[in-house]
């Protein structure tokens, strides 16, 4: 295995796949969920590691990996979805969020904690179920302000639209360069 940056060594040490083929735009998409368990803030990070001309590059974005408080307090009767921290191989592909705008949509079954106690604290010990829940990567849409609010019911949501556009352009570059239209996501818990 060639030399890897520290974050990719961390991913590899957990037994997860790292894409280090030497090909341009072979994306490693990594979410880092904050240790803060209070919902409704964009306190998580998304890093995209890739090689370009055999050199490592990283782009980092402010996101939330958690649902907003309106969904935690009054959401799905089965419990609000919180994506479980682990790696999802080929888990997302190109699509449209609620048919409205481009995003990455769920491509395989994923595992979520079903937080059903209707408070604003994330329950990462809540029961885990696996299936198709519409967990997408998108920007916050028409929602404004500094809090997540109705911007996420469990999706991986970018606080700043231009950050999402930059991320999405990297995904498009992976496709146009290599022909790969699915994306692996590794979600880590800080």
């Amino acid at each position: 295995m060639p030399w890897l940056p520290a974050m990719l060594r961390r991913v590899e040490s957990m037994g997860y796949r790292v894409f280090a083929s030497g090909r341009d735009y072979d994306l490693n998409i990594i979410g880092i969920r904050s240790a803060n368990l209070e919902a409704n803030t964009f306190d998580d990070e998304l890093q995209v590691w890739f090689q370009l001309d055999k050199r490592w590059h990283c782009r980092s974005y402010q996101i939330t990996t958690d649902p907003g408080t309106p969904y935690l307090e009054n959401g799905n009767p089965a419990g609000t979805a919180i994506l479980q921290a682990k790696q999802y191989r080929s888990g997302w592909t190109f699509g449209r969020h609620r048919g409205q705008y481009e995003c990455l949509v769920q491509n395989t079954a994923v595992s979520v904690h079903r937080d059903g106690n209707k408070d604003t604290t994330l329950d990462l010990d809540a029961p885990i179920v696996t299936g198709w829940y519409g967990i997408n990567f998108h920007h916050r849409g028409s929602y404004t302000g500094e809090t997540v609010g109705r911007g996420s019911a469990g999706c991986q949501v970018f606080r700043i639209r231009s950050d999402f556009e930059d991320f999405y352009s990297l995904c498009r570059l992976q496709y146009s360069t290599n022909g790969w239209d699915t994306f692996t996501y590794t979600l880590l818990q800080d």
Side-chain angles (χ1 to χ4, degrees), residues 78-109:
T80 302
I82 304 170
L83 190 64
Q84 181 185 20
K86 67 182 204 176
Q87 186 173 72
Y88 300 90
R89 294 289 306 275
S90 298
W92 283 265
T93 191
F94 297 112
R96 297 186 76 75
H97 184 64
R98 297 184 176 172
Q100 297 174 14
Y101 50 85
E102 291 181 315
C103 71
L104 294 186
V105 296
Q106 191 178 335
N107 187 54
T108 61

Side-chain angles (χ1 to χ4, degrees), residues 102-143:
E102 291 181 315
C103 71
L104 294 186
V105 296
Q106 191 178 335
N107 187 54
T108 61
V110 299
S111 299
V112 298
H113 300 274
R114 281 294 184 186
D115 184 344
N117 66 359
K118 307 294 185 196
D119 67 9
T120 61
T121 302
L122 304 173
D123 293 317
L124 300 179
D125 57 353
I128 296 170
V129 295
T130 301
W132 294 80
Y133 307 112
I135 305 292
N136 298 335
F137 283 74
H138 62 89
H139 59 79
R140 62 196 300 179
S142 62
Y143 302 103

